[in-house]
Amino acid sequence: MRLSRYFLPILKETPAEAEIVSHRLMLRAGMIRQQAAGIYTWLPLGLRVLDKIGKIVREEQNRAGAIEILMPTVQQAALWKESGRYEDYGQEMLRITDRLDREMLYGPTAEEVVTDVFRSYVRSYKDLPLNLYNIQWKFRDERRPRFGVMRGREFLMKDAYSFDLDYERATEAYRRMFVAYLRTYARMGLTAIPMKADSGPIGGDMTHEFIVLASTGESQVFCHKDLLDLPIPGADTDFQGDLKPIIDQWTSLYAATEEMHDEAAFAAVPADKQVTARGIEVGHIFYFGTKYSEPMGAKVAGPDGVERPVHMGSYGVGVSRLAAAVIEASHDDAGIVWPEAIAPFQVGLINMKPGDAACDATCAELYATLGKAGVEVLYDDTDTRAGAKFATMDLIGLPWQLICGPKSLAEGKVELKRRATGEREVLSIADALVRLGVTA
Ligand code: ATP
Ligand code: MG
């Protein structure tokens, strides 16, 4: 992409309304634009990041055996009356009336819809296990939308729903999602710790919130320090095999949200391993048994021919919140520092002197070569002063900056800068390409 033809509305001033660094940087880097409280337009740079996060989430859900569908954003109140949640949900639900005076709503979550899909088709245990997910916009009329997309009213969520014959099998479904989540966040360069969460009236210990530690997080959390360094299950994980040893490794060390915190148990953690911190909730997994299947009549016949309500769990990832969470975890004074996996572009190519024949020709060639090799390049071909170009590249945080100026070009060299470390190298064009993973 040539910057001269792109839409990258960088802000020079730091927006006064933004209280936390990710919100400030997302506005300044031209990633998002607020349209109403907690409601945002995703601008081109932001959308590229959002899509990459979605792609990783999708790949890991698929790997774990979940199957993608797409449910509507607008739902019928009637379904929620069946489950008994319509009145309970309260003011967070955006209620809408259509032209025929039917009660509708903008979905804050989709347990009712997915249970309706399930009961319409599935009758037998032979069709189980089943896990259906979608990545779809949700609306919650939050009392205090704030921190940009961190706590929006409209936000993008991955929500998966598992269906199993009994508790035992539901446990396996839960473990598959647990492991998929560990992999998902790690691929984005995040350490997200599964913490014991409050299961409310359902009870049981099968609910975890995945929390990224950050001083700006909204939750107070407590955990064992070693959780920050546990190995992440590899891509070769067999989701058909026994995942219990992995889960045990993670759940045997203390980690709890404020609601579930147990002073006495935490005191048993060695003092130098006790972490008390703020955290950002980037995911939540939850087994809730027959809470919806029973009132909504989602039943399956077991091998004995007897019908029983299906056991369910739900598994959420805050896809749009993650864009902000990654920035909270990875930035410096100059701007964002994107991990490779979700960077909007891999390389920022900077032409220091547009109009100079050698600079223009070399940049054009580099741009074409990298493009052909599948490297995503944002080419700054604009007529801006060098200082401003560097500042913009640092702000938007692409992993690499490839700098072409007349001086080094006279010696056949370009400069390559690694955004994360600030390290700079003067290299031949061929060597620079190799460094970026392109071989002739
Ligand atoms: P919170 O306690 O932050 O309100 P929640 O418990 O209501 O979260 P879930 O219903 O479990 O959240 O939703 C799944 C995920 O969706 C959360 O883990 C979070 O990452 C994300 N999420 C929830 N609410 C919002 C919001 N208002 N804006 C952005 N992301 C959100
Ligand atoms: Mg909430």
Side-chain angles (χ1 to χ4, degrees), residues 65-183:
I67 303 165
E68 188 170 12
I69 58 175
L70 186 58
M71 292 182 272
T73 52
V74 176
Q75 308 178 4
Q76 277 180 286
L79 272 183
W80 288 67
K81 290 183 178 169
E82 279 191 60
S83 74
R85 272 212 294 185
Y86 189 60
E87 303 306 333
D88 293 354
Y89 213 90
Q91 292 200 304
E92 269 196 22
M93 181 183 278
L94 180 63
R95 293 155 207 262
I96 309 164
T97 307
D98 73 9
R99 65 200 296 162
L100 295 175
D101 253 354
R102 281 179 299 225
E103 291 172 291
M104 312 292 282
L105 57 104
Y106 194 125
T109 176
E111 280 83 1
E112 282 79 1
V113 174
V114 81
T115 304
D116 179 61
V117 170
F118 181 89
R119 72 179 172 186
S120 307
Y121 301 107
V122 183
R123 296 273 180 278
S124 160
Y125 76 98
K126 289 179 192 155
D127 297 321
L128 305 181
L130 184 64
N131 184 326
L132 299 174
Y133 78 96
N134 75 168
I135 299 179
Q136 178 62 291
W137 294 92
K138 304 291 187 289
F139 194 96
R140 294 181 187 174
D141 207 350
E142 299 274 356
R143 195 170 50 85
R144 262 193 93 188
R146 57 180 181 161
F147 302 155
V149 298
M150 192 76 90
R151 181 166 298 281
R153 291 198 294 165
E154 190 183 41
F155 60 97
L156 190 59
M157 193 206 282
K158 184 284 296 182
D159 39 325
Y161 304 89
S162 65
F163 301 89
D164 287 278
L165 185 60
D166 52 29
Y167 176 81
E168 283 291 295
R169 292 175 177 86
T171 303
E172 287 164 28
Y174 185 87
R175 289 178 185 152
R176 283 195 288 275
M177 285 295 111
F178 190 111
V179 171
Y181 275 43
L182 291 174
R183 286 190 43 75

Side-chain angles (χ1 to χ4, degrees), residues 371-384:
K372 259 184 231 142
V375 180
E376 297 159 308
V377 182
L378 181 62
Y379 171 23
D380 188 347
D381 58 343
T382 64
D383 211 1
T384 319

Side-chain angles (χ1 to χ4, degrees), residues 385-405:
R385 62 187 177 81
K389 289 189 175 191
F390 291 138
T392 294
M393 280 300 175
D394 280 352
L395 173 63
I396 68 173
L398 310 182
W400 297 97
Q401 294 171 18
L402 185 53
I403 303 150
C404 286

Side-chain angles (χ1 to χ4, degrees), residues 204-223:
D205 57 2
M206 282 218 287
T207 175
H208 287 86
E209 286 178 4
F210 285 75
I211 308 262
V212 174
L213 302 188
S215 57
T216 49
E218 290 184 287
S219 324
Q220 182 70 42
V221 296
F222 306 85
C223 70

Side-chain angles (χ1 to χ4, degrees), residues 326-341:
V326 170
I327 297 174
E328 289 295 329
S330 184
H331 65 270
D332 61 20
D333 290 345
I336 303 167
V337 182
W338 289 115
E340 301 256 353

